[in-house]
């Protein structure tokens, strides 16, 4: 994309807005459909949730060590951890001058947190109940806060890394992010504190938040996110310092006495000879680099060494 081409810039901006709006609208439509099926107790979905959760609970009850490991993964990938990562990223972006990008990261965390509780209270779905639970969680179940927070955080971090790495790095980042989101969502169902549809709803709600926040900032500050991405790339690029080593080559004199028995030895070869007109570059004065530096000299014989009064006759 050429930044000087206004037509191209407008086209790219419109394409980005269309992409963000499509993500938000598509995920919102699927979320509303899923919420309608959950509140209407659609039998196939209800039976799937019951069977899946019961089987995982039976396995977790019989394997305590495995359950403890799953609980540890769930705690590490909790909403507090995920929002702390976004807070650290936002603070770092703010310090290096990418203020709009920092606001985008912070808005994802805050809007995601608010939307999570608004949706939970709006649907008011009960969590799975067992006579011998292996884990406990409070509040409504739909959507899963762990699934929603992990999806938002991983998507934001991948977005920040996307323009800093090459194809292999992008593939690795997407793979790690997808594995993290799937693992955290699966732990909530394996511990018996969420239905599978709660986890799916959390992922859909995360897509809505990502699309809405990004589109809103693009409409508020057109092109600001792209400029901040370039600013981050410039601030974090590796610095290469050029080290220039002076090359001092002392010219050899053709005088007949230089190599003779009356010469002063090799210690005098590096010393500058007497130069009445100061033509030797080793005698250059730093103050000569003034406003007139580079102008033609008015001193006779300065431009051509052959015009010097003491030049040898050839």
């Amino acid at each position: 994309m050429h930044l000087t081409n206004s037509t191209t810039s407008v086209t790219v901006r419109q394409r980005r807005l269309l992409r963000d709006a499509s993500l938000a609208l598509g995920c919102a439509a699927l979320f509303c459909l899923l919420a309608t099926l959950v509140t209407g107790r659609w039998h196939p979905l209800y039976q799937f949730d019951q069977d899946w959760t019961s089987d995982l609970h039976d396995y977790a009850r019989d394997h305590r060590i495995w359950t403890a490991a799953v609980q540890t993964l769930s705690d590490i990938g909790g909403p507090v951890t995920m929002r702390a990562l976004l807070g650290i990223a936002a603070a770092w972006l703010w310090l290096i001058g990418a203020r709009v990008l920092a606001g985008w990261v912070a808005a994802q965390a805050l809007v995601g947190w608010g939307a999570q509780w608004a949706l939970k209270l709006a649907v008011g779905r009960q969590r799975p109940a067992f006579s011998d639970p292996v884990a406990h969680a409070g509040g409504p179940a739909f959507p899963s806060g762990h699934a929603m927070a992990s999806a938002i955080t991983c998507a934001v971090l991948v977005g920040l890394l996307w323009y800093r790495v090459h194809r292999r790095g992008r593939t690795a980042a997407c793979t790690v992010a997808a594995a993290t989101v799937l693992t955290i969502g699966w732990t909530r169902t394996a511990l018996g504190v969420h239905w599978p549809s709660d986890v799916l709803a959390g992922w859909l709600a995360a897509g809505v938040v990502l699309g809405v926040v990004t589109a809103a900032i693009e409409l508020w500050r057109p092109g600001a996110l792209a400029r901040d991405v370039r600013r981050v790339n410039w601030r974090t690029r590796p610095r290469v310092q050029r080290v220039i080593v002076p090359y001092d080559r002392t010219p050899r004199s053709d005088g007949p006495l230089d190599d003779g028995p009356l010469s002063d030895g090799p210690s005098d070869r590096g010393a500058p000879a007497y130069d009445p007109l100061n033509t030797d570059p080793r005698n250059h004065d730093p103050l000569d680099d003034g406003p007139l530096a580079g102008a033609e000299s008015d001193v006779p014989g300065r431009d051509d060494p052959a015009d010097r009064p003491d030049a040898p006759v050839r």
Side-chain angles (χ1 to χ4, degrees), residues 242-314:
R242 294 183 60 189
V243 179
I244 302 177
V245 180
Y247 179 70
D248 187 9
R249 182 177 178 180
T250 304
R252 291 179 58 87
S253 175
D254 295 333
L257 299 179
D258 288 342
D259 297 328
L262 299 180
S263 62
D264 294 335
S267 59
D268 295 333
R269 291 197 176 182
Y274 173 70
D275 189 2
L277 296 180
N278 197 22
T279 58
D280 195 330
R282 291 174 295 174
N283 297 330
H284 175 69
D285 189 354
L287 297 179
D288 290 341
D289 297 327
L292 299 181
E296 294 182 359
S297 174
D298 296 331
V299 180
R302 184 82 177 253
D303 296 331
D304 188 1
D307 296 335
R308 290 169 49 184
D310 59 342
V313 178
R314 298 184 179 181

Side-chain angles (χ1 to χ4, degrees), residues 96-109:
I96 66 174
R99 304 296 173 83
V100 178
L101 197 58
W104 174 74
V105 175
Q108 296 288 356

Side-chain angles (χ1 to χ4, degrees), residues 133-274:
V134 297
H136 299 275
F142 189 92
S144 171
H146 280 66
M148 188 173 176
S150 62
I152 292 176
T153 300
C154 290
V156 169
L157 295 181
V158 169
L160 294 178
L161 291 175
W162 190 261
Y163 298 99
R164 295 292 305 155
V165 295
H166 298 291
R167 180 176 299 178
R168 292 183 179 179
R170 294 174 180 178
T171 303
C174 291
T175 302
V176 173
T180 301
V181 172
L182 292 174
T183 301
I184 294 175
W186 173 79
T187 59
R188 303 307 290 167
T189 306
L191 293 173
V193 295
H194 275 294
W195 308 101
S197 54
D198 297 338
V199 176
L200 179 59
W203 294 339
L204 293 175
V208 176
V209 172
L210 289 168
V212 168
V213 172
T214 307
I217 292 183
E218 283 289 346
L219 291 173
W220 174 51
R221 298 286 299 273
L225 288 176
R227 288 192 295 270
D228 275 1
V229 168
R230 291 192 294 270
R231 182 177 289 109
V232 172
N233 293 341
W234 183 81
R235 290 291 182 89
T236 58
R237 65 180 179 178
R239 297 294 194 269
V240 179
Q241 182 178 4
R242 294 183 60 189
V243 179
I244 302 177
V245 180
Y247 179 70
D248 187 9
R249 182 177 178 180
T250 304
R252 291 179 58 87
S253 175
D254 295 333
L257 299 179
D258 288 342
D259 297 328
L262 299 180
S263 62
D264 294 335
S267 59
D268 295 333
R269 291 197 176 182
Y274 173 70

Side-chain angles (χ1 to χ4, degrees), residues 3-157:
L3 300 179
T4 56
N5 192 335
S6 59
T7 304
T8 304
S9 300
V10 171
T11 303
V12 171
R13 188 178 303 121
Q14 291 176 349
R15 190 183 302 117
R16 290 174 178 171
L17 286 174
L18 180 61
R19 177 197 60 193
D20 299 332
S22 300
L23 174 63
L25 292 176
C27 291
L30 293 176
F31 181 89
C32 292
L33 176 61
L34 184 59
T36 302
L37 297 177
V38 167
T39 55
R41 297 179 67 87
W42 188 50
H43 181 70
L45 179 61
Y46 176 80
Q47 191 64 39
F48 174 78
D49 283 343
Q50 291 287 343
D51 294 342
W52 187 274
T53 305
S54 299
D55 293 341
L56 289 176
H57 175 262
D58 293 339
Y59 187 87
R61 183 186 55 193
D62 298 335
H63 301 80
R64 294 295 182 177
I65 298 179
W66 180 85
T67 303
V70 173
Q71 182 67 61
T72 302
L73 290 176
S74 180
D75 294 339
I76 293 176
V80 176
T81 303
M82 293 299 165
R83 295 189 183 106
L85 292 176
L86 292 182
I88 294 173
W92 175 73
L93 292 170
W94 184 273
L95 290 176
I96 66 174
R99 304 296 173 83
V100 178
L101 197 58
W104 174 74
V105 175
Q108 296 288 356
L110 296 176
V111 174
W113 175 78
Q116 166 194 326
W117 282 104
L119 295 173
K120 281 178 176 291
L121 296 176
V123 178
R125 188 184 193 184
Q126 296 296 324
R127 295 180 182 270
F130 301 97
S131 59
D132 52 349
V134 297
H136 299 275
F142 189 92
S144 171
H146 280 66
M148 188 173 176
S150 62
I152 292 176
T153 300
C154 290
V156 169
L157 295 181

